[in-house]
Amino acid sequence: MENITRRSLISAGLGAGLVAAVPVSAMAVSTADDAGLRTDPFTLGIASGEPWPDGFVIWTRLALNPVAEDGLGGMPSRNVAVAWEVAEDQAMRRVVTRGVEHARIETAHSVHVELKGLKPGREYFYRFRTGRHFSTVGRTLTSPAPRETPAALAMAFASCAQYEHGYFTAYSRLAEDHPDLVLHLGDYLYEYKKGSYVIAGGNPRDHEGPETVSLATYRQRHAQYKADTDLQAAHAIAPWLVVWDDHEVDNNWANDIPENSEPAQLNDTTEHFRQRRAAAFQAYYENMPLRPSSLPAGFDMKIYRTIQWGQLANFHMMDTRQYRDDQLAGDGWRKNVAERLDENRTITGAEQEQWLLDGFRTSTQRWDILGQQVFFAERDRDKAPEIDDVSMDGWDGYAASRRRITQGWLDAKVRNAVVLTGDVHRHWATDLKVDYKDLASPVVGSELVCSSITSTGDGTGSTTDPTMVWNPHLKFYNDNRGYVNTRITKDAMTADFRVLDYVTKPGAPVSTNKSFTINDGVPGLA
């Protein structure tokens, strides 16, 4: 594969010499389609996602003014033709397919192109054009052929990027690490208005607009985030698989229940929250490289799906928000809530749970990886054996649901089960069990938890959490911002916990704080 950097991605897309490398007619767009677009409309960057053996999705959204209050990016009130092309080389000389789509006003001038007919297990490059304006060039990949076992996969995962709490340097560092696949596990953006969620010392940046409750405000917020060049670099380097957590809609939402159910709180009745959810889902689809099969239907949107990477890995991308039962006893940490053990409680909903269990039974892959949102292993804050002090928002609040999933991969004889998690703004690494109260219970899987990109601001650098003493399955903790790099082969999965010392100023260097290996056929962290 060619060596590609953020700088080369940008220069390849804008270099004047590259325009002549492809016949003008190949990406021709009528001059009428450029009327009014006298400045660059590709201010939100480009992205790809959903790789499969013969294709992927490529995405862009046009905006002249990303933070326009109406959420439409300062674009004219008409559709705009956008040409696209996919090539085998970064210079875009060996074009393999091209076409024209329309950026439509009803979808905030976003473009989703679902590519098919390409070769499996290959690196490709892509770009967009409208009139005389070119996007940057992005790098993406198709997944391997279904029966192929590739030598290795470089996969990174991240979560929790609060724009106000810092700079997205971690995204640039992730791009510089050159992954072949990126998983984003939720909290891609935050819903709060300026001044509502402030870190010690004050926020270095501010959100535009009010708290997001309408389609216009969700579109505006997505555009503000997408205009960040560090985030654009991470999108341009590799295909992404995305799932949401809570802040893409509303903090700690559960099914059709908002965080605040009192009418005085943003008028969040059930019906109003469904309208808010529908607006959030529509904006989420418009701004993510998702397949048309993920188009929302009102206040429902199916994002759980499995993406196969040949015979090496299954990525089971999950949704632990849309179908869950409401959190018990409020949304926070609570002691001795017996109802959390109720056999009927679910964090996935019955249909998604069955889909996942069926996926375990039919899997022939070496690794089955769950891309999901909230802490999976038990994490008890009270050392007294007779007291449980756990989070009602994580899987601890849905203990029977967790046990069914864990037992499901055991019953299916899944070869290697690994859970990937975001949400908690700290790095963690844990061993997984069926019964956490029994110290002799065998280890049956591993959980890797990524810290936040920025949320909660600069970390302390601490690598000690007191709960690890009486939760011996919790093997690692770090309070820095960052992300996780993995290298997956048929023999092992290696995880590097990447950290930045600060995010309230731009430009922080990155380093690896800790590395773990999960060996094939040996559950648990080495």
Side-chain angles (χ1 to χ4, degrees):
M1 293 183 180
E2 298 181 43
N3 185 30
I4 184 169
T5 65
R6 179 186 174 198
R7 182 183 299 274
S8 63
L9 279 168
I10 294 173
S11 63
L14 301 180
L18 294 182
V19 177
V22 176
V24 173
S25 61
M27 293 192 74
V29 179
S30 164
T31 54
D33 292 316
D34 197 30
L37 303 186
R38 296 182 179 179
T39 59
D40 179 17
F42 294 109
T43 58
L44 307 185
I46 58 176
S48 70
E50 304 299 292
W52 55 92
D54 71 338
F56 37 74
V57 168
I58 57 174
W59 169 96
T60 193
R61 178 184 164 198
L62 307 183
L64 301 173
N65 174 19
V67 294
E69 289 186 3
D70 64 0
L72 297 177
M75 291 293 293
S77 299
R78 58 177 178 78
N79 300 336
V80 177
V82 178
W84 55 267
E85 60 184 3
V86 176
E88 294 179 326
D89 64 312
Q90 184 184 343
M92 304 299 295
R93 293 188 176 92
R94 300 193 303 274
V95 173
V96 295
T97 184
R98 55 170 61 94
V100 176
E101 296 286 335
H102 280 85
R104 301 185 180 279
I105 187 172
E106 60 265 28
T107 56
H109 291 99
S110 62
V111 175
H112 295 74
V113 182
E114 187 176 27
L115 275 299
K116 297 182 179 180
L118 301 176
K119 296 177 181 179
R122 298 293 183 93
E123 180 182 62
Y124 288 97
F125 298 87
Y126 64 99
R127 66 176 175 180
F128 298 89
R129 176 186 171 187
T130 184
R132 61 186 176 86
H133 301 291
F134 281 86
S135 74
T136 61
V137 172
R139 168 184 177 265
T140 191
L141 292 89
T142 52
S143 61
R147 304 310 302 173
E148 179 186 352
T149 302
L153 169 64
M155 181 273 291
F157 65 99
S159 71
C160 301
Q162 219 290 23
Y163 183 92
E164 299 177 298
H165 287 182
Y167 294 88
F168 289 168
T169 309
Y171 280 137
S172 272
R173 301 296 177 245
L174 183 154
E176 291 164 0
D177 289 342
H178 208 272
D180 292 325
L181 183 67
V182 177
L183 273 59
H184 200 286
L185 302 180
D187 295 346
Y188 185 91
L189 52 70
Y190 281 68
E191 77 276 27
Y192 303 112
K193 67 179 180 180
K194 174 183 175 180
S196 295
Y197 186 11
V198 181
I199 59 174
N203 292 342
R205 306 197 288 185
D206 292 319
H207 280 152
E208 294 282 346
E211 178 161 342
T212 54
V213 296
S214 67
L215 182 55
T217 54
Y218 281 112
R219 284 171 166 172
Q220 179 193 39
R221 188 62 49 82
H222 273 282
Q224 184 178 15
Y225 278 59
K226 276 291 200 304
D228 186 279
T229 55
D230 291 319
L231 175 55
Q232 289 181 17
H235 272 300
I237 199 66
W240 282 40
L241 301 177
V242 299
V243 285
W244 55 52
D245 191 17
D246 52 344
H247 291 290
E248 289 88 348
V249 181
D250 176 40
N251 183 51
N252 284 356
W253 67 282
N255 202 309
D256 57 4
I257 302 168
E259 178 183 25
N260 299 304
S261 57
E262 297 299 322
Q265 301 291 334
L266 296 172
N267 192 29
D268 269 344
T269 61
T270 298
E271 181 54 36
H272 178 269
F273 183 69
R274 287 176 175 172
Q275 295 171 11
R276 180 180 185 180
R277 205 174 91 167
F281 288 1
Q282 176 66 26
Y284 187 83
Y285 177 80
E286 291 170 352
N287 287 278
M288 294 295 168
L290 289 164
R291 303 182 196 184
S293 58
S294 291
L295 271 167
F299 58 86
D300 292 320
M301 180 176 169
K302 184 179 177 182
I303 63 165
Y304 67 84
R305 70 257 189 227
T306 296
I307 291 83
Q308 295 182 0
W309 204 263
Q311 286 298 297
L312 186 64
N314 284 321
F315 292 95
H316 305 287
M317 305 301 291
M318 298 178 64
D319 180 351
T320 61
R321 287 291 164 191
Q322 191 173 183
Y323 313 106
R324 68 159 68 193
D325 292 322
D326 193 16
Q327 298 95 335
L328 293 166
D331 300 337
W333 293 76
R334 297 292 185 270
K335 294 184 178 182
N336 290 348
V337 179
E339 293 87 349
R340 76 182 185 92
L341 307 176
D342 188 328
E343 288 295 322
N344 294 318
R345 282 185 60 72
T346 179
I347 196 172
T348 63
E351 183 177 326
Q352 183 180 190
E353 179 179 304
Q354 191 59 53
W355 157 82
L356 185 58
L357 296 178
D358 289 344
F360 291 154
R361 283 191 286 269
T362 59
S363 174
T364 59
Q365 277 65 24
R366 187 68 60 112
W367 302 86
D368 278 270
I369 298 169
L370 280 62
Q372 60 93 48
Q373 295 80 2
V374 291
F375 213 93
F376 192 84
E378 183 171 276
R379 189 164 46 127
D380 185 354
R381 295 198 308 186
D382 198 303
K383 64 181 178 181
E386 68 276 11
I387 298 176
D388 286 332
D389 183 7
V390 298
S391 170
M392 295 296 104
D393 190 57
W395 287 79
D396 277 333
Y398 306 81
S401 194
R402 175 176 60 199
R403 191 199 69 250
R404 290 192 297 270
I405 298 300
T406 309
Q407 191 63 51
W409 76 58
L410 285 176
D411 292 345
K413 294 181 172 55
V414 163
R415 184 164 180 148
N416 298 291
V418 180
V419 178
L420 306 182
T421 301
D423 182 60
V424 296
H425 308 163
R426 306 293 187 273
H427 283 317
W428 290 86
T430 81
D431 287 339
L432 299 178
K433 300 185 173 189
V434 176
D435 184 357
Y436 292 94
K437 299 304 182 187
D438 180 4
L439 295 180
S441 179
V443 174
V444 298
S446 305
E447 180 178 18
L448 305 172
V449 183
C450 64
S451 186
S452 65
I453 293 293
T454 57
S455 300
T456 69
D458 296 337
T460 66
S462 172
T463 57
T464 302
D465 185 279
T467 62
M468 297 171 73
V469 175
W470 55 89
N471 292 272
H473 56 281
L474 304 179
K475 300 298 185 182
F476 170 68
Y477 166 87
N478 171 261
D479 181 17
N480 281 106
R481 308 293 72 81
Y483 55 95
V484 180
N485 280 342
T486 70
R487 185 175 188 272
I488 306 170
T489 71
K490 64 183 181 62
D491 298 320
M493 178 175 179
T494 301
D496 295 331
F497 287 86
R498 304 285 275 164
V499 300
L500 287 74
D501 290 338
Y502 56 88
V503 294
T504 51
K505 299 181 296 182
V510 69
S511 61
T512 297
N513 181 269
K514 190 79 171 180
S515 297
F516 287 92
T517 297
I518 305 167
N519 290 306
D520 173 42
V522 184
L525 300 160

